[in-house]
Amino acid sequence: MNLGQAVEKCVAAHRSCLSAPPSAPTPPPSAQPPPRPATAHGNGRLAARLQAHHALVHGLLEQGMGVRAIARHLGWGRHTVQRYARAEHWYQVSPGRHRRGSSLDVHHTYLSQRITETRGRISLTALHHELAERGWQGSYSTLRDWARHCLHQPRRTPQPPPAPPTARQVTGWLARRPSSLSEDEHRQLKAVLDACPELATAHQLVRDFGDMLTQQTGVLLPAWIDEALTADLPGLTGFARGLTNDLDAVTAGLTLRWSSGGTEGAVNRIKKIKRQLYGRAEFDLLRKMILLA
């Protein structure tokens, strides 16, 4: 608990490093692939879009992001990201299922004419009624799917950049076990540590102290204290200096397998029961609750 409080003071002192975290990693320009063979992609907008998406996905992969994290970041499906990730070059990306012929193909000229005449303001319901009058027996959903595939859709408004992490969030990332962090938390923590060398040093000190605690290597405590004092970080320096006041006891706690944790737990349990009574019960009731709890 004391170490967690020290880490929180250190993170709060470097709050400016969190206010402007690096934005989503921009993929570096990829090397030009060798001349590609003739494919069904052509040289139009589809080819340009496939090439841009392929470079974007592989750039994010090089930054250490996983497939699921990229899918969440871009708002794509996981299988779509996998198709781009598995392709070595952009022209190897399968554009998905090819559109099969539709019963609307014979009405394509009429639909284009009506959309041009109305400047795109005609509704699909009106088009469906007009096609029915011309003898088309298809459903409204078929016309809707045709419009989604064949008509130009307006671009989506770009999403605002994510909010920077709070000091409490970064404190939790530093103090928790690395195995308990999610992939997205690992990525955000890495961005914070890359932007602030002081927090990177604090992260290493916390990890080293955690190793001493779990592996019972208290013999390394003096060297850790010297390293923490040399780093001169807010919070952690005072924590390390406080350990020297009772160095033998702390070293024993980090070395021996015996602990007073059980006793402290029993005392806290008794205090909790006593607080629940709000001072309105006699000693006999307190005794029974402690024995029966």
Side-chain angles (χ1 to χ4, degrees):
M1 184 183 67
N2 293 340
L3 180 60
Q5 294 173 349
V7 173
E8 187 171 6
K9 291 180 181 178
C10 182
V11 174
H14 297 85
R15 193 185 304 271
S16 59
C17 299
L18 315 179
S19 58
S23 57
T26 303
S30 56
Q32 292 294 333
R36 63 179 181 88
T39 65
H41 300 335
N43 297 318
R45 289 179 296 179
L46 175 60
R49 185 169 68 251
L50 290 176
Q51 187 174 8
H53 289 178
H54 181 269
L56 176 61
V57 171
H58 280 264
L60 295 175
L61 289 172
E62 292 177 0
Q63 296 293 330
M65 295 180 64
V67 172
R68 294 181 182 273
I70 295 175
R72 288 193 301 267
H73 175 69
L74 299 177
W76 296 357
R78 179 169 57 88
H79 296 292
T80 301
V81 177
Q82 286 178 341
R83 284 197 292 112
Y84 285 101
R86 292 171 180 172
E88 183 178 358
H89 302 296
W90 70 267
Y91 54 78
Q92 297 173 341
V93 178
S94 171
R97 297 180 180 178
H98 297 285
R99 180 178 172 271
R100 295 177 295 181
S102 171
S103 59
L104 285 170
D105 290 343
V106 296
H107 301 280
H108 186 271
T109 302
Y110 174 78
L111 290 171
S112 300
Q113 180 181 354
R114 293 292 292 132
I115 293 173
T116 302
E117 292 174 353
T118 59
R119 297 182 180 180
R121 297 180 180 178
I122 188 172
S123 65
L124 291 180
T125 303
L127 281 177
H128 184 259
H129 287 312
E130 294 180 9
L131 290 174
E133 294 176 355
R134 292 172 58 88
W136 185 63
Q137 299 179 356
S139 64
Y140 175 83
S141 60
T142 302
L143 178 61
R144 180 191 59 199
D145 294 339
W146 173 86
R148 287 178 177 174
H149 285 90
C150 299
L151 298 183
H152 175 71
Q153 300 293 333
R155 295 185 177 181
R156 297 181 178 180
T157 304
Q159 296 294 331
T166 63
R168 184 171 293 274
Q169 285 179 316
V170 177
T171 300
W173 299 339
L174 293 175
R176 285 160 51 191
R177 292 176 180 267
S179 58
S180 67
L181 300 179
S182 65
E183 185 177 1
D184 186 59
E185 290 173 336
H186 272 295
R187 180 181 59 81
Q188 295 186 68
L189 176 59
K190 182 179 182 301
V192 171
L193 299 183
D194 290 343
C196 186
E198 291 79 7
L199 290 182
T201 302
H203 179 251
Q204 186 60 46
L205 289 173
V206 173
R207 294 275 68 82
D208 293 343
F209 192 88
D211 292 340
M212 285 191 296
L213 185 63
T214 56
Q215 300 175 11
Q216 296 182 342
T217 53
V219 66
L220 303 177
L221 181 60
W224 184 90
I225 292 176
D226 293 339
E227 186 176 354
L229 294 176
T230 303
D232 194 21
L233 295 173
L236 288 175
T237 300
F239 172 77
R241 188 177 293 110
L243 296 179
T244 60
N245 296 333
D246 202 359
L247 184 61
D248 293 339
V250 178
T251 303
L254 295 176
T255 306
L256 304 177
R257 62 183 180 88
W258 294 284
S259 172
S260 61
T263 303
E264 295 294 338
V267 171
N268 288 332
R269 181 175 64 88
I270 294 174
K271 290 181 178 179
K272 176 183 176 182
I273 296 174
K274 185 177 179 181
R275 293 190 187 99
Q276 289 175 340
L277 299 177
Y278 291 99
R280 293 176 295 186
E282 299 292 338
F283 176 77
D284 294 338
L285 177 61
L286 176 62
R287 178 175 179 273
K288 287 183 179 181
M289 292 186 67
I290 292 176
L291 293 178
L292 297 176

